[in-house]
Amino acid sequence: MAENPFFAPSTLPYELPPFAEIREEHYLPAFRRGMAEQLAEVEAIAGSTEPPTFDNTIAALERSGRVLDRTATAFFSIASSNSSDGIMEIEKEISPELTRHSDSIRLDRALWARIKQVTTSDPEEAWLLQKYREDFIRAGADLSETEQARLRELNEELSRLSTEFAQALLKAATEAALVVEDPAELDGFEQSRIDSLRQDDGTYALPLLNFTAQPALSQLTNRDVRRRLFELSVGRAPGNFAIAARMAALRAERAALLGFPDHASYVVADQTAKTVEAVEEMLGQLVGPAVRNAGREAEELAGQAGFPIEPWDWPYYSEQVRKARYDFDDSAMRPYFELERVYRDGIFFAAGKLYGVTFSERPDLGGYHPDVKVFEVFEEDGSALGLFLLDPYARANKRGGAWMNNLVDQSLLFGLRPVVLNNLNVTKPASGPTLLTYDEVTTAFHEFGHALHGLFSQVRFPRVSGTSVPRDFVEYPSQVNEMWVTWPEVLANYARHHETGEPMPAELVEKLTAAEKFNQGFKTVEYLAATLLDWAWHRLAPGQEVADAEAFEAAALERAGIAVPQVRPRYRTNYFAHIFASGYSAGYYSYIWSEVLDAESVEWFKENGGLRRENGEHFRRELLSRGGSLDPLSAFRSFRGREPRIEPLLKRRGLD
């Protein structure tokens, strides 16, 4: 495998992975060589006869594992965005090996002994040293040999189960798709969308997106079709219930082994929340007002429908009520939200106004799929900043949702500038322009907020680069970026009719603004139900087994006071990928926790004149550029000038 592209740094600009050269057979040899090389590097660090210093221990660990890092970054991006049967088989095989590899480093007693002796007076080094010590303790470095052996078994089984959960979910998106023979059953869709759903056999298949209330429910006029779609959504991947229950039990056992009463306590100790009590206090302030709002909304929708509504009716009739009350039709906005213009004249325009950056498409640089576009990003003075990749379209081999990840971490240690990727799941039209819904536009701005966090990183060490911050802080900068979606100067620049170029009519903008708080009871209950379901699974005590996951789920929602029959959790257990196939276990609360900071920050921007360069510079300097190189709440206080308060969030959601 002398030609393996992972064995040496990429020669492309910014070390962009050479996707055109990478083949599936490259991954396993590169993973295994990368792990072997890093273990040799770690053995040299741990076995050094030199007194331990920051440079020969912590910085040396940061410098280790470059082949492995390049391989894993590219592979897991592909596994999420452009998978295949071969990729899925590799993932099954390599995930347990990677877990064993990580454990072999974190449980190395000689290495841990050296780390404990390191001292430094440099603030950034001291923070990284603290992070390493916390990482090793939380990984079980202080456990006995017997306890460490059991910990390794737990980690390996959890890794395997997480992969199984994710792959079952990916298959379910198409296997559980709504299939109809008569296109009349898709009444409510535009003809171009119906055409895009047509299969080779003449049927029409609507794949599932990864949440309960499928967006199509707001458009489909046939109630029975809506019911079928909803039932397919909530019933997908039924085998994942058992996987989830097993994972929750294993996580509880692991938490006890590490000295915590449950997995949630283990998780939040390393977050800005610090304690389960802090999380529960914040959630407790939201449940009552949200349920009351949802109850009022349900009564209103029943009046509109003429019968008690079911979960599959809510999105449809809420759209009817919104049209009637605000004379607002979401579909009337789509002609003004053309994908390329949203990015060029909206997202990039706002970033330019705030931060002085510019974007230039690089068609000479390829992604891992023809739909991926690559942009070079420049500072105001013309100097190079990094690369931004955009993969906007849904595919059968792409997981649901939207996300950002780094393909290259910014690091002064290696002299690397950032390469960041945004994934969306927009339906690609059979022909013509890609027109977005308002929610899809908001998602695009949100994910680009993550991208800015990665692009503006200016730190020495990859461990704390960009979005390497606590889970309950990472959503905060991206949520702030959503404020520019409807900012008048930004909206006027990008919201133009895709055929005529005419700006969105002022009255439509006014209706959008007036309608923004509509249906907040549903949205808040839907989110809180998922959050409290996550919390219930991860407050399980060690040894507490769940035989019937669906019954557990129902009881947990009742106990939390969030069981509203017409509003199901945004994610049920069987497709809750955030917590069973990603890094959000006992951390889904982080979206609302981050929104407290976000609402405070939006208030600050408005108080200080909004879309101004000096405001962007302040936010970038004090927060976005710092990555995880200091306490995140200290960064927030440096930006905002005070401790966060919940009142702006309650006001925003109409819960005050």
Side-chain angles (χ1 to χ4, degrees), residues 84-151:
S84 66
D85 290 342
I87 291 291
M88 293 172 76
E89 285 304 313
I90 293 168
E91 189 176 15
K92 284 182 183 177
E93 185 171 348
I94 204 64
S95 291
E97 293 184 34
L98 290 170
T99 299
R100 289 195 293 272
H101 174 73
S102 177
D103 283 344
S104 68
I105 295 173
R106 298 285 176 83
L107 301 180
D108 185 314
R109 295 191 182 280
L111 179 62
W112 177 225
R114 287 185 66 82
I115 290 172
K116 287 190 285 188
Q117 296 177 61
V118 173
T119 61
T120 178
S121 58
D122 178 273
E124 188 172 349
E125 291 181 356
W127 180 258
L128 181 62
L129 175 60
Q130 178 184 329
K131 291 288 101 184
Y132 262 88
R133 286 176 174 164
E134 290 172 356
D135 288 348
F136 273 68
I137 291 170
R138 291 172 60 80
D142 282 333
L143 298 181
S144 69
E145 294 289 349
T146 302
E147 291 169 329
Q148 285 189 355
R150 178 56 183 155
L151 184 65

Side-chain angles (χ1 to χ4, degrees), residues 342-394:
V342 166
Y343 273 90
R344 183 183 68 243
D345 298 335
I347 291 171
F348 294 167
F349 171 78
K353 285 285 186 178
L354 271 176
Y355 308 111
V357 292
T358 56
F359 299 79
S360 176
E361 189 169 351
R362 292 288 304 266
D364 58 312
L365 297 178
Y368 48 80
H369 187 277
D371 288 339
V372 178
K373 291 191 173 185
V374 182
F375 299 86
E376 190 167 10
V377 190
F378 298 94
E379 296 279 19
E380 193 168 28
D381 63 5
S383 59
L385 177 62
L387 292 180
F388 170 69
L389 281 71
L390 175 64
D391 183 358
Y393 294 118

